[in-house]
Amino acid sequence: MLVARSVALFAVAALFEIGGAWLVWQGVREHKGWIWIGAGVIALGLYGFVATLQPDGEFGRILAAYGGVFVAGSIAWGVVADGYRPDRYDIIGALICLAGMAVLIYAPRDH
């Protein structure tokens, strides 16, 4: 149950962080305005809150592991939102990052 909760929280955090950054990008780079930028800033703040809900209490470990989710999620977001076509190295790199995330968070530890 803890693993499923953790995975779900990582996914929600990715939606808020990547989505927030994308909204800011759209507001500034695509000239969509302050509403988009403001929505992005709010989403980025929610990302920070969601990260605190992870079952593991180690800030450094959670943020380091989330980096792997961020890499893979950013590529997936680009595919869905911007029509980005990842090449095999993008996909291999994302899978390596997710494997690193899994080791950081889900490896058995002697606590």
Side-chain angles (χ1 to χ4, degrees):
M1 184 65 171
L2 282 180
V3 171
R5 178 174 183 241
S6 174
V7 168
L9 286 169
F10 276 127
V12 170
L15 286 174
F16 281 133
E17 186 184 19
I18 298 163
W22 184 80
L23 287 167
V24 171
W25 178 283
Q26 293 297 307
V28 175
R29 299 278 304 244
E30 303 299 326
H31 309 288
K32 292 190 176 178
W34 286 103
I35 300 287
W36 287 67
I37 295 167
V41 169
I42 290 168
L44 289 165
L46 289 170
Y47 149 73
F49 176 76
V50 170
T52 69
L53 302 175
Q54 281 289 343
D56 189 309
E58 298 295 331
F59 174 81
R61 182 180 299 139
I62 293 299
L63 269 292
Y66 174 70
V69 176
F70 179 80
V71 169
S74 295
I75 290 172
W77 188 281
V79 169
V80 172
D82 291 326
Y84 175 68
R85 295 185 52 116
D87 63 23
R88 67 179 166 210
Y89 300 109
D90 293 326
I91 294 167
I92 291 167
L95 291 173
I96 290 169
C97 290
L98 288 174
M101 179 277 295
V103 170
L104 282 164
I105 295 297
Y106 306 121
R109 291 193 161 76
D110 297 325
H111 289 357

